[in-house]
Amino acid sequence: NNNNNNNNNNNNNRSRSRSRETDNFNDQKKSGTDWASQMLKKMGWREGQGLGRTGDGITIPLLAKKTDKKCGIIIGLNNNNTQLIEEKSKFPIIGMTNEPTRIVILTNMVGPGEVDEDLESETASECEKYGRVIRCIVKEVLHPDVPEEEVVRIFVKFEQIDAATKAINGLNGRYFGGRIIRAYYFIESEFNKINF
């Protein structure tokens, strides 16, 4: 009987301790005294100020968004607290999205006129590391307003969304043939409209 009472007391103490830790963490987040904020403040950062030496970096923290039980993505916010895709093109790629889908679009892997007969199969093979690839298509867009790094667009359709997420995490920002690959989710209904 005494052992049961001791076990119950220990469990109650642990629950109260966890509850206090959670409350402290929430209070720290609200007041800006969480560990990350404290670290940035030690390095001279002030709330509302951009990161970096010149202060022109991001002013709003990145957020993690869960895509399924085991995966997530990091998203950025613009000053209106809406999702942001880094899109500088005068001729935007219609269908790119921050919302996870099974389709990934890769740009800047090769330049205009550099597409060879092996690019599609080599890309599909590389993407199989992240999950089962259903389809891989290379499309070269010939339009004077399309930036050189976006002329060749490689669409990869995965069987599962988590495979697409892994591919984006693994490929975006990676160097390939002296170029930096850009990887984004692509809306499935837009993918189905494209005439390949």
Side-chain angles (χ1 to χ4, degrees):
N1 237 356
N2 282 341
N3 284 342
N4 286 341
N5 287 339
N6 286 340
N7 286 340
N8 287 339
N9 286 339
N10 287 339
N11 287 339
N12 287 339
N13 288 339
R14 275 189 232 124
S15 292
R16 273 187 248 130
S17 175
R18 268 189 243 118
S19 177
R20 277 194 302 270
E21 288 171 11
T22 302
D23 290 343
N24 287 342
F25 178 74
N26 289 333
D27 290 342
Q28 286 176 354
K29 283 190 79 169
K30 286 178 193 169
S31 67
T33 60
D34 62 286
W35 178 82
S37 295
Q38 289 174 8
M39 181 183 231
L40 286 170
K41 286 177 183 175
K42 283 182 184 176
M43 292 186 260
W45 175 80
R46 287 186 304 273
E47 194 168 337
Q49 176 185 0
L51 293 178
R53 180 184 295 176
T54 59
D56 61 353
I58 63 171
T59 58
I60 298 174
L62 298 174
L63 301 174
K65 180 177 181 181
K66 195 168 184 164
T67 58
D68 64 23
K69 287 181 182 179
K70 297 180 182 178
C71 293
I73 59 171
I74 295 176
I75 59 173
L77 298 176
N78 64 20
N79 290 330
N80 297 326
N81 290 333
T82 57
Q83 289 186 354
L84 173 68
I85 294 177
E86 189 178 312
E87 183 59 61
K88 297 176 184 167
S89 176
K90 293 177 189 171
F91 194 80
I93 300 172
I94 296 169
M96 285 184 5
T97 180
N98 283 321
E99 291 300 315
T101 70
R102 296 184 306 154
I103 314 292
V104 172
I105 180 171
L106 304 170
T107 60
N108 204 33
M109 278 187 68
V110 296
E114 295 177 0
V115 175
D116 64 20
E117 61 189 36
D118 298 325
L119 182 61
E120 204 169 279
S121 62
E122 288 172 354
T123 303
S125 178
E126 179 67 20
C127 287
E128 285 282 341
K129 294 177 182 177
Y130 306 108
R132 186 167 178 270
V133 173
I134 295 173
R135 192 170 181 196
C136 180
I137 298 163
V138 177
K139 185 166 178 70
E140 196 163 357
V141 179
L142 302 173
H143 192 284
D145 290 334
V146 176
E148 182 263 341
E149 63 273 6
E150 294 178 0
V151 168
V152 178
R153 301 169 182 185
I154 303 171
F155 298 88
V156 183
K157 183 175 184 176
F158 289 92
E159 186 175 68
Q160 301 290 325
I161 290 175
D162 66 330
T165 300
K166 289 174 189 173
I168 286 176
N169 291 337
L171 295 172
N172 192 43
R174 182 171 149 186
Y175 282 88
F176 180 80
R179 295 172 166 272
I180 299 173
I181 299 171
R182 293 291 169 226
Y184 303 95
Y185 292 109
F186 196 82
I187 299 169
E188 214 160 326
S189 60
E190 292 295 324
F191 174 78
N192 294 333
K193 290 179 193 175
I194 297 172
N195 183 9
F196 295 110

